[in-house]
């Protein structure tokens, strides 16, 4: 198998993992909209597991240097930014025999990543709204508890 084929295989696995993350983000959003605490907790755990699986795959992605040396190593060092990793991946793809296929896979990864980012941000807003609703309810309860005039 060529270096380009190894990379394509790794990118396809990452796409599948990212699609799994997206599915769990959608489930999380549904649970948040339903305000079901157990479903929210379950969806959040599943999402975290999917993100961890994706991260493991990304760390195992072969690099051009590793391929030319006949081995494999993590695709990028800890702490490197996603845009830096994208640039590194783009440079790696350009040097491979199946660069057209791998560019398409990279574009799919980027598009899925953007979808996940947007959905995660929307879920964050829903969480903020639920938290504010809870805080408002607690303020009302605290006022009722300390002020008997509300019942007169």
């Amino acid at each position: 198998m060529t270096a380009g084929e190894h990379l394509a295989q790794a990118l396809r696995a990452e796409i599948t993992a990212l699609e799994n993350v997206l599915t769990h983000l959608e489930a999380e959003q549904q649970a948040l909209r339903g305000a079901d605490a157990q479903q929210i907790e379950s969806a959040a755990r599943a999402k975290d597991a999917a993100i961890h699986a994706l991260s493991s795959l990304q760390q195992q992605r072969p690099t051009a240097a590793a391929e030319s040396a006949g081995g494999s190593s993590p695709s990028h060092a800890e702490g490197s930014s996603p845009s830096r990793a994208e640039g590194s991946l783009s440079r790696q793809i350009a040097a491979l025999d199946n660069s057209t296929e791998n560019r398409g896979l990279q574009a799919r990864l980027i598009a899925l990543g953007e979808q996940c980012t947007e959905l995660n941000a929307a879920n964050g807003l829903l969480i903020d709204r639920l938290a504010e609703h809870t805080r408002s309810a607690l303020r009302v309860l605290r006022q009722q508890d300390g002020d008997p005039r509300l019942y007169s």
Side-chain angles (χ1 to χ4, degrees), residues 2-132:
T2 68
E5 291 168 336
H6 278 289
L7 182 60
Q9 183 179 28
L11 294 177
R12 282 192 289 278
E14 288 180 39
I15 287 169
T16 299
L18 202 48
E19 288 170 338
N20 193 30
V21 170
L22 185 60
T23 297
H24 289 298
L25 282 165
E26 290 166 345
E28 181 182 57
Q29 187 172 77
Q30 196 170 13
L32 288 165
R33 289 185 187 279
D36 182 324
Q38 286 182 325
Q39 282 185 338
I40 292 169
E41 187 176 332
S42 174
R45 277 195 308 271
K47 177 189 71 172
D48 289 345
I51 290 170
H52 179 73
L54 173 63
S55 178
S56 293
L57 286 171
Q58 289 171 329
Q59 291 174 359
Q60 295 170 18
R61 182 190 302 156
T63 63
E67 287 297 327
S68 65
S72 63
S73 68
S75 63
H76 38 80
E78 279 186 41
S80 66
S81 71
S83 61
R84 182 175 165 197
E86 268 181 36
S88 175
L89 180 58
S90 293
R91 285 188 299 280
Q92 180 180 357
I93 288 171
L96 297 174
D97 55 342
N98 64 341
S99 61
T100 302
E101 176 189 7
N102 283 332
R103 276 192 207 102
L105 293 170
Q106 181 188 27
R108 178 74 178 134
L109 269 176
I110 291 168
L112 281 169
E114 289 170 352
Q115 283 181 283
C116 287
T117 298
E118 290 170 10
L119 191 51
N120 196 50
N123 288 357
L125 290 174
L126 286 171
I127 289 168
D128 288 345
R129 286 185 195 145
L130 287 171
E132 182 54 37

